[in-house]
Amino acid sequence: MDEDNVGAAAELLRGAERVVALTGAGISAESGVPTFRGQDGLWKTYRAQELATPEAFRADPTLVWEWYEWRRGRVAAVEPNPGHRILARWAAVFRSFTLITQNVDGLHARAGSVDVLELHGNIWKLRCTAEGTVVEDRRHPLPKLPPHCSSCGALLRPHIVWFGESLDGPTITRAFAASQASNVMLVIGTSAVVHPAASLPFTAAGSGARVIEINPEPTPLTATAHLSLRGQAGLILPAIDERLGTLRQA
Ligand code: BJW
């Protein structure tokens, strides 16, 4: 691990009052949840346009649901890792700490984070395609595929933002406002290619925030980030946390 960069990240965080963390699939990789892109990513085996679009769901709801059932099973079988847990703890360390995630796995909440801005929805929630009502349903496997709304009988869909769909207005508005107001923004485990989430760190940097990227690989954000820490989030976040503790005591 690059100890100098860990120290530099802790120094930036020590003086920060308003901190934002944006996470992507990489933070859950060490828990055993597959990422989307890259060597072992989901999109290597499955084609996004056949599964993660409203058109795919309209064409074959059972196929799409089978894929989500498989993913619900994987997520149910894993635990949050030290990266999730440090971010949950940091809510009490900084005057203002906003956690924004692109992940739908709910692992941040299971690690103890509250008020997480889930930009792309949640795999444990189902939405009625007719009424738009959202219900939480943690059963796995679901008794019947595809599931239907108990009130009107219409198809239920995963409460997830697919390609070409709009993000929840209040959630993305809060995410941009927090990014714009931040002193430091951590960008952890995202390939930084899916918008509008990928625009958040650029908004933060443009408003004067220091941007710290944590990722084993370079991304389109790397050139703009003030610090890039190469490696696994589950190792780097605890290392920063330890250094931060030492600095705060000094
Ligand atoms: C580790 C690690 C370890 C590994 N530690 N790190 C502007 C420009 C161009 C296009 C658009 C634009 N605005 C909108 C668009 C269209 C589109 C888009 O962005 N397309 C681009 C791909 C080109 N966006 C949308 O359609 C969005 N809707 C929208 O904007 O509506 C209005 C509109 C529509 C159309 C045109 C214009 C406006 C909706 C986006 C919804 C994204 N949904 C998905 C799928 C959900 C389905 C599901 O989960 O089942 O969300 S896509 C998928 O990608 C998923 C993720 O949340 C998202 C981001 O992926 P993430 O998290 O970055 O994961 P990976 O796998 O890409 O990267 C993992 C990273 O971790 C890697 O970098 C690894 O190196 C790293 N890593 N181990 C730390 N241990």
Side-chain angles (χ1 to χ4, degrees):
M1 195 179 315
D2 181 343
E3 294 295 336
D4 285 349
N5 270 342
V6 167
E11 275 291 353
L12 285 180
L13 284 164
R14 178 165 72 142
E17 292 203 335
R18 290 178 304 282
V19 176
V20 170
L22 169 67
T23 65
I27 195 160
S28 296
E30 288 156 78
S31 292
V33 183
T35 60
F36 292 91
R37 298 164 187 85
Q39 203 53 37
D40 303 317
L42 286 169
W43 299 149
K44 276 266 171 208
T45 322
Y46 304 96
R47 285 205 279 166
Q49 63 272 29
E50 285 172 11
L51 293 163
T53 63
E55 293 77 23
F57 185 73
R58 271 195 296 275
D60 195 343
T62 306
L63 174 73
V64 173
W65 260 115
E66 279 168 355
W67 189 62
Y68 280 98
E69 270 293 85
W70 171 75
R71 289 189 41 213
R72 281 162 68 101
R74 288 210 54 163
V75 171
V78 305
E79 296 295 328
N81 66 55
H84 297 106
R85 290 201 197 92
I86 295 290
L87 294 180
R89 247 176 18 78
W90 282 358
V93 166
F94 299 99
R95 198 166 141 195
S96 159
F97 185 82
T98 306
L99 179 54
I100 307 168
T101 191
Q102 298 168 82
N103 299 345
V104 300
D105 56 31
L107 287 177
H108 284 303
R110 277 177 59 197
S113 287
V114 290
D115 200 19
V116 184
L117 299 181
E118 294 182 318
L119 298 181
H120 295 159
N122 188 302
I123 203 162
W124 298 111
K125 292 181 180 168
L126 320 182
R127 188 165 83 236
C128 176
T129 52
E131 297 172 328
T133 42
V134 176
V135 289
E136 189 173 290
D137 191 334
R138 292 186 168 267
R139 287 175 299 171
H140 176 76
L142 285 167
K144 209 161 161 253
L145 285 190
H148 288 81
C149 177
S150 58
S151 119
C152 74
L155 266 180
L156 291 170
R157 57 164 281 177
H159 184 50
I160 284 184
V161 183
W162 287 323
F163 282 115
E165 294 187 315
S166 296
L167 283 71
D168 176 63
T171 307
I172 190 66
T173 300
R174 277 183 66 194
F176 271 106
S179 304
Q180 205 159 13
S182 66
N183 309 122
V184 174
M185 183 163 189
L186 294 145
V187 184
I188 307 159
T190 174
S191 55
V193 293
V194 175
H195 291 269
S199 310
L200 294 168
F202 292 95
T203 298
S207 308
R210 300 272 135 178
V211 175
I212 303 171
E213 181 180 53
I214 301 176
N215 197 313
E217 306 290 336
T219 74
L221 176 66
T222 303
T224 300
H226 300 90
L227 271 180
S228 283
L229 282 77
R230 296 270 159 261
Q232 297 181 308
L235 298 175
I236 291 176
L237 285 168
I240 296 175
D241 185 59
E242 199 182 319
R243 199 68 83 86
L244 198 54
T246 317
L247 289 173
R248 280 175 181 266
Q249 281 158 21

